[in-house]
Amino acid sequence: MQKPSRALLVLFLVCLLWRTIESRHTWQEAFKVLGISWNKDGTLNRSILIPMEDPSPYADSDPPPKALSQDIYLSANSKAYVRLYIPVDPPKNRKLPLIIYLHGGDFVLYSASTVIFHNFCNDIASDFPAVVVSVEYRLAPENRLPAAYDDALNAIFWVQNQALGVGGRDPWLEYADFSRVFLLGSSAGANIVYHAALRALDFDLQPLKIRGLLLNQAYFGGLKRTPSEIRLIDDQYVPLYVNDVLWSLALPKKANRDHEFCNPISGGTYLGRVFRLPKVYIKGDFGDPLVDRSILLAQFLASCGVPVYYRFNPGGFHGIELQNTTAAQQLYNDIKWFINDNYGLEMPQGITSLHASM
């Protein structure tokens, strides 16, 4: 028998080590990290609760709100709602871009009213300024994908009905420019934005015009590990074993991580629609284990002729803009440029367009 080569021996040892690394954690450990446990009825008990924030519909509240906000239920028979934001003193002489926002939380956690996402939308509504529609979507595993995509699409239809005046229009949406609609999402929210936008291509949304998608640290995956996932296997914010459990909770039963909901470049029903997408902004950080997924998506979209603008920062971590004011301001500046780039604003330093090699 021929002796195995040194390269094969090294490969065998690496694979053995990799299997050991992946098997050293359990579902119970992942559940403990996430602060979740099973209820007897198959639902989740979510014990780690970030504070929720009530809407602030009145400018004379104490303390004064940064932006005005209100919750609007989409159906009398449903818990589905959107949280609508406008500046405290919206301009009277021009319409504002309308941003539909999908929050993060790995499909399993959090809400549109979670304080970190509420504050994020307050900042966008007041500082840009813009009208923001933050979507409360159903969580997994009680409602596995594509439930969140359906909820996002229903929110888009609600905005369309507001534009058409079906059943009357909320006075706050009089400030919105329905011809300048953008879909913005972070983490799982960015995944939802991508899939909801592809689904929306099947419908006539007039008079809405979705001008672009903004994907911040998008939550995608796949069966084959990427270099960033291997390099950051025990990342503080997205450890790989926790990530695997989250996908097991979110995906349809019996689906693996190469399902199109998780791995958007693996094939599936959406690929024929991708070339019809509007321009896309993609932001990632090299300290985030998921960053390679965003790089692969940017390359894929560019190959399909989609206008892509991307920023990949050195260092950082998943969710950095929620903890670091400098990172948050950079993201705000990028979003503001992206939604206004037809108005002569210079591209921010660090953003690269579709035409440059990655």
Side-chain angles (χ1 to χ4, degrees):
M1 180 183 292
Q2 188 177 14
K3 281 188 174 184
S5 69
R6 183 182 181 88
L8 284 175
L9 183 59
V10 169
L11 178 62
F12 171 77
L13 292 174
V14 167
C15 290
L16 183 63
L17 175 62
W18 176 244
R19 289 184 63 185
T20 303
I21 290 172
E22 288 206 300
S23 64
R24 70 184 181 186
H25 294 289
T26 65
W27 267 61
Q28 288 78 8
E29 288 177 279
F31 270 45
K32 184 176 181 180
V33 168
L34 294 166
I36 59 178
S37 59
W38 290 113
N39 295 317
K40 290 182 179 179
D41 62 358
T43 62
L44 283 187
N45 174 42
R46 297 166 172 86
S47 60
I48 297 180
L49 299 177
I50 296 178
M52 312 284 261
E53 190 75 16
D54 291 331
S56 301
Y58 305 112
D60 57 358
S61 301
D62 186 21
K66 186 167 187 180
L68 302 183
S69 55
Q70 62 171 318
D71 290 343
I72 300 176
Y73 285 83
L74 304 186
S75 167
N77 302 317
S78 170
K79 295 181 180 179
Y81 71 88
V82 296
R83 181 163 289 188
L84 181 61
Y85 298 80
I86 60 170
V88 171
D89 186 20
K92 306 296 190 295
N93 59 348
R94 63 186 174 94
K95 298 285 188 179
L96 301 177
L98 191 151
I99 298 174
I100 299 175
Y101 174 68
L102 283 302
H103 67 80
D106 314 315
F107 303 109
V108 173
L109 302 169
Y110 310 136
S111 162
S113 61
T114 299
V115 63
I116 52 176
F117 304 123
H118 175 74
N119 290 342
F120 183 80
C121 292
N122 270 336
D123 289 343
I124 292 175
S126 63
D127 295 347
F128 280 35
V131 175
V132 179
V133 176
S134 182
V135 182
E136 177 73 355
Y137 57 85
R138 289 170 291 170
L139 299 179
E142 295 89 344
N143 301 279
R144 292 174 176 269
L145 296 175
Y149 306 153
D150 295 339
D151 294 343
L153 191 58
N154 285 335
I156 294 172
F157 291 153
W158 176 81
V159 173
Q160 180 188 29
N161 285 336
Q162 289 288 303
L164 294 169
V166 176
R169 179 184 296 174
D170 188 284
W172 286 13
L173 283 164
E174 295 293 347
Y175 298 107
D177 182 349
F178 295 107
S179 70
R180 294 174 63 209
V181 178
F182 296 84
L183 307 185
L184 165 65
S186 295
S187 191
N191 177 303
I192 297 169
V193 160
Y194 181 75
H195 287 286
L198 287 167
R199 289 176 169 228
L201 293 171
D202 285 345
F203 301 93
D204 180 3
L205 297 178
Q206 292 295 328
L208 295 192
K209 292 184 179 179
I210 297 176
R211 298 292 191 179
L213 316 180
L214 297 107
L215 311 181
N216 173 39
Q217 297 185 322
Y219 193 71
F220 292 113
L223 283 176
K224 184 178 179 181
R225 305 304 191 190
T226 66
S228 65
E229 289 170 341
I230 296 171
R231 174 171 53 88
L232 298 166
I233 184 173
D234 288 320
D235 177 69
Q236 179 181 355
Y237 297 95
V238 194
L240 196 61
Y241 75 100
V242 173
N243 190 44
D244 290 347
V245 168
L246 286 165
W247 277 116
S248 296
L249 296 174
L251 286 169
K253 290 182 178 179
K254 299 183 179 180
N256 64 34
R257 290 190 308 277
D258 271 340
H259 190 283
E260 62 189 320
F261 295 167
C262 179
N263 187 349
I265 61 176
S266 64
T269 60
Y270 291 149
L271 292 187
R273 311 180 199 179
V274 171
F275 70 94
R276 295 163 53 200
L277 287 173
K279 64 179 183 177
V280 178
Y281 165 86
I282 295 177
K283 184 260 182 183
D285 294 86
F286 282 106
D288 178 2
L290 306 183
V291 67
D292 285 351
R293 302 292 177 183
S294 288
I295 293 173
L296 291 170
L297 181 63
Q299 292 171 334
F300 169 68
L301 292 177
S303 73
C304 295
V306 177
V308 176
Y309 301 88
Y310 61 86
R311 175 194 292 278
F312 293 106
N313 291 321
F317 52 87
H318 199 74
I320 186 174
E321 77 284 349
L322 300 173
Q323 301 182 42
N324 182 294
T325 55
T326 301
Q329 190 59 57
Q330 181 194 75
L331 179 61
Y332 294 160
N333 291 343
D334 286 0
I335 296 171
K336 185 181 290 189
W337 169 80
F338 186 80
I339 67 177
N340 291 304
D341 69 345
N342 291 327
Y343 296 83
L345 297 180
E346 184 178 353
M347 183 184 297
Q349 185 176 4
I351 291 184
T352 306
S353 73
L354 158 74
H355 304 291
S357 61
M358 297 193 59

